Amino acid sequence: MEQVNQIILSKAGSNVELIPEIATHLISSGGKRLRPMLTLAMADMFGYRGEGHVTLAASVEFMHTATLLHDDVVDESDMRRGKLAARKLWGNQASVLVGDYLLGQAFKMMVDVGSLEALRILSEASAIIAEGEVLQLGAAQDITTTEEDYLRVIEAKTAALFAAAAEVGPVIADQSAEMKAAARDYGMQLGLAFQLVDDALDYGGSAADLGKDVGDDFREGKITLPIVLAVARGTDEERSFWKRCLEDGDIQDGDLDRAIDLLKSHGAIAETVERAKAYGAGALAALEGLPDGPHKGALADAVAFCVARVS
Amino acid sequence: MEQVNQIILSKAGSNVELIPEIATHLISSGGKRLRPMLTLAMADMFGYRGEGHVTLAASVEFMHTATLLHDDVVDESDMRRGKLAARKLWGNQASVLVGDYLLGQAFKMMVDVGSLEALRILSEASAIIAEGEVLQLGAAQDITTTEEDYLRVIEAKTAALFAAAAEVGPVIADQSAEMKAAARDYGMQLGLAFQLVDDALDYGGSAADLGKDVGDDFREGKITLPIVLAVARGTDEERSFWKRCLEDGDIQDGDLDRAIDLLKSHGAIAETVERAKAYGAGALAALEGLPDGPHKGALADAVAFCVARVS
């Protein structure tokens, strides 16, 4: 992982000063490096010998960083990883463009590795992530969003990159289709668990856990699973409350507290956490078919880490 | 080119309705398809037999379209190709995300073609374009921008994609390094000529030629070659005028007319056009080393077309 960090910092460089300034602001701000870890552990698990997995892992992190820069612009977020969001420091314009730069660098790095199959998987993920974000934009501020709609969004915007990051491990280690599918399945289920936990934390965590403020999703009118469940189980009066806050964006003092009370009284946060645990269990099940050893332990720990954030 | 258009329209599709809606708004709005034409003509010139050049040409146009969507957000533009800019119709958020989607699709299409060398050239261009845009952001509203700074910006933000689009032609036709270099040189010089003409037209064309309003660059404080030349040749009083309009953004009635008068009196527009013609001549010279035939004629016509827009 030290090598991944070195590549990340060197490839975030540019003669155009603003680029490394913005990129390292975000990259050095203590991200969990969960996605590149998946690529490294999956490749190592199959005994891969080479440098390609390090470069692919760094390109996965660049794709993720580019997404964060663009997301913060789209969501008008103020905070990211406990710091001011890049867009608050350097503006939306620079955030859009530096995100584009990092995406270009990510593809250059993948080309350096030379695996067309890894390129196919990661470029596919890149298009799907953007598709998921557009889908989320359409679902935002719409309390008729269904559970199915929500799952489609998070599978695309979050889980697809986890799945791709995991799958390229066996791909560069030249493994069977079965191993690739198991790695992908693990990544997909872990990604779903991760996002569900994130969505639960937005109403139940602390600012320190989140790196952003509790209730950000609420203020942005984002329709996550806790909301979908609470709306479905709520009274007409409660639906009016959700509509006013999330669709009309008319949020008053005390509304976030009321929202959290409603989510809790309908068991919506607890059920979201239960779903996350179920996907976590699915990820562990997918691991069973993969080779034993220390990397398998690390990948199982990643599942526990994701779920433990809310336990 | 008909095949390119078909691929473009099919690959702009998505189950997420907003994506084809926005993508085809821009793609169908009469772009010149200059860049994909370079890829096709260059590949055909070398007798390439296959479908890869069509897919690469479409991916080049997608990269360009993604750039336009993001540029309009960054520049806060209202018009593009004579229509309302996508961001005015669907918002900045959707424009950023659909741009990301098209970029992802572009890379997927390149992977389909399977040439790692073409992938390297185009992913490199993708990072360089973004670098150029960031550079331009830094130079905006700064009347001390030099000619050298300006050339560095347009080489990156515009000419790099023309160069890459041309170079991938001989690349998939499996030609010598010499042929690839000549194609790249042609594209680079054509791109510089194209951008210089665009920058001259902003002060001297008609809205119909431009697809946007005359004086947009002026209102955005964009420092293009006509401005660089006029500032260098101007009096102190004129520098104060440029400073007020371009750096302070304090533009009053009649200021655009005065700007155009100053540009003309210093010969700044005419000299910009002369420079464009010189790059155009450079592009034609680069063509000389390439195989004769109808495609060479088409590529020479492309140069004449670019320069003729201001003649």
Side-chain angles (χ1 to χ4, degrees), chain A residues 14 16 19 70 74 93-94 97 100-101 104-105 107-108 114 116 120 123-124 126-127 130-131 133-135 137, chain B residues 14 16 19 70 74 93-94 97 100-101 104-105 107-108 111 114 116 123-124 126-127 130-131 133-134 137 152:
Chain A
S14 161
V16 182
I19 291 177
H70 287 185
V74 168
Q93 301 171 312
L97 298 175
D100 290 349
Y101 176 76
Q105 287 291 83
F107 281 104
K108 272 176 67 179
L116 276 169
R120 182 186 58 70
S123 60
E124 174 90 26
S126 169
E131 224 169 7
E133 304 274 355
V134 176
L135 204 56
L137 202 59
Chain B
S14 160
V16 182
I19 292 178
H70 287 185
V74 168
Q93 301 171 312
L97 298 175
D100 290 349
Y101 177 76
Q105 287 290 85
F107 282 103
K108 272 175 66 179
V111 173
L116 275 169
S123 59
E124 174 90 27
S126 169
E131 225 169 6
E133 304 273 357
V134 177
L137 202 58
R152 211 178 138 209

Side-chain angles (χ1 to χ4, degrees), chain B residues 9 46 248 311:
Chain B
L9 290 175
F46 291 103
D248 308 339
S311 310

Side-chain angles (χ1 to χ4, degrees), chain A residues 88-289:
Chain A
K88 296 295 286 184
L89 293 167
W90 293 279
N92 283 336
Q93 301 171 312
S95 293
V96 170
L97 298 175
V98 173
D100 290 349
Y101 176 76
L102 292 178
L103 205 54
Q105 287 291 83
F107 281 104
K108 272 176 67 179
M109 288 150 71
M110 292 172 215
V111 173
D112 288 343
V113 175
S115 159
L116 276 169
E117 192 177 351
L119 268 158
R120 182 186 58 70
I121 291 163
L122 290 167
S123 60
E124 174 90 26
S126 169
I128 287 176
I129 293 165
E131 224 169 7
E133 304 274 355
V134 176
L135 204 56
Q136 176 170 263
L137 202 59
Q141 297 168 321
D142 176 1
I143 63 164
T144 68
T145 302
T146 63
E147 236 181 278
E148 199 189 341
D149 296 332
Y150 166 81
L151 284 172
R152 209 176 139 211
V153 167
I154 69 169
E155 184 172 322
K157 76 162 189 169
T158 306
L161 186 56
F162 278 77
E167 188 179 3
V168 296
V171 163
I172 52 160
D174 213 9
Q175 296 297 305
S176 68
E178 197 191 348
M179 291 298 119
K180 294 175 202 168
R184 181 172 186 81
D185 186 22
Y186 162 85
M188 185 66 82
Q189 303 223 42
L190 177 63
L192 292 169
F194 178 86
Q195 187 61 55
L196 283 161
V197 167
D198 231 45
D199 292 344
L201 277 174
D202 199 77
Y203 291 99
S206 67
D209 291 337
L210 283 166
K212 56 179 189 170
D213 297 323
V214 171
D216 271 355
D217 289 348
F218 183 68
R219 280 181 289 272
E220 288 164 15
K222 221 173 248 180
I223 312 295
T224 56
L225 187 62
I227 303 292
V228 172
L229 295 172
V231 168
R233 294 166 186 183
T235 62
D236 284 352
E237 191 276 327
E238 288 171 22
R239 286 181 66 89
S240 302
F241 166 77
W242 293 119
K243 196 174 170 331
R244 171 172 63 76
C245 295
L246 300 171
E247 294 195 353
D248 308 338
D250 172 14
I251 296 178
Q252 294 157 14
D253 278 356
D255 280 345
L256 176 60
D257 289 335
R258 179 166 189 218
I260 293 174
D261 285 345
L262 287 177
L263 293 171
K264 287 191 176 155
S265 72
H266 289 298
I269 296 175
E271 181 158 338
T272 300
V273 173
E274 282 313 306
R275 303 279 187 98
K277 286 183 180 166
Y279 284 115
L284 292 175
L287 272 185
E288 278 173 23

